[in-house]
Each structure stands twice: as structure tokens, then as C-alpha cells.
Amino acid sequence: MEYKGFILHHSRCPSINGKGFDFWVGKDGGIYAAPLLTDPDYIHICLEGNYAEKDNVPQQWERREQLFAAGKLILELTARYQISPLLIEPHNKTCPGNFFPWNELVIYPADGYH
């Protein structure tokens, strides 16, 4: 199956409610996979937390663990499904939210180091 890229969500997104994502990345860096990939075009990754509200953004140390795990997951999935790791989009204008730290999600596809 050819995927176009990745869609990122936050866990307070109203479209999540138990389904609608393929991988969940917890604040502690734990990764949980849904039994099946559900969208034929994109792989959906949900990050625990609410990046739409400044007061609910995960703490710095939580974000570091979470974004490190998300970056590793994205690199593994890019290798498995032949997707560019640079094709990452937000779900919509409010998800993952205005306070999502895009600059902290660092991925180095050239040498595989994160």
C-alpha cells in the first residue's frame, strides 16, 4: 500500500474517540498501535495531550520523551512503507493545535539518527 504521508493529532481531538488513529504516542514515550491501518492514504499518529490549549500542553520533559518516540516511529514507518518522513501534516487547523512544538519534532532521515 502506498501512503502519501502522516497526519498528526492530539488526544483531545474530537475525531479520535477510540479510533481514527493508527498509532498513539503517550507522554511517557510509549507507543501503542491500532490493530489495522485504517486510512488508505495517510498514517495517523495521535500524541497524548492537548496542544490546542496553552495551559494543557505537556511539560517539557514529557514532550522530549514523546517527540523522541514519535520521531523514531515515523522513521521506522518511513522505511517500512517507503514514505518520505518530511510529509507530516496537521489533522486540521486546531489539531494538533497552535501550541504543537513542530520545531521539536526533529527527524534526520539521511543517517537515521534522531
Side-chain angles (χ1 to χ4, degrees):
M1 184 173 276
E2 287 191 36
Y3 291 101
K4 296 176 183 176
F6 300 93
I7 303 289
L8 291 187
H9 298 263
H10 66 78
S11 62
R12 300 300 256 172
C13 174
S15 71
I16 294 299
N17 54 359
K19 55 186 176 180
F21 64 87
D22 302 308
F23 295 91
W24 170 279
V25 183
K27 291 179 185 177
D28 64 355
I31 298 173
Y32 306 93
L36 298 171
L37 299 178
T38 57
D39 183 337
D41 294 321
Y42 293 91
I43 296 175
H44 294 256
I45 300 173
C46 179
L47 292 113
E48 181 180 8
N50 186 353
Y51 289 98
E53 298 175 7
K54 187 173 184 171
D55 294 338
N56 291 318
V57 171
Q59 298 296 315
Q60 175 85 22
W61 64 271
E62 292 172 321
R63 281 198 321 267
R64 187 174 34 240
E65 293 294 322
Q66 185 179 53
L67 296 175
F68 181 78
K72 283 179 53 177
L73 172 64
I74 290 168
L75 285 175
E76 287 180 28
L77 293 170
T78 59
R80 180 177 294 163
Y81 295 108
Q82 306 296 305
I83 309 168
S84 170
L86 305 177
L87 298 174
I88 303 172
E89 301 176 22
H91 173 228
N92 59 36
K93 290 182 180 183
T94 61
C95 177
N98 291 333
F99 300 101
F100 184 78
W102 289 101
N103 291 336
E104 293 178 37
L105 182 62
V106 180
I107 300 170
Y108 296 103
D111 60 7
Y113 175 76
H114 175 85

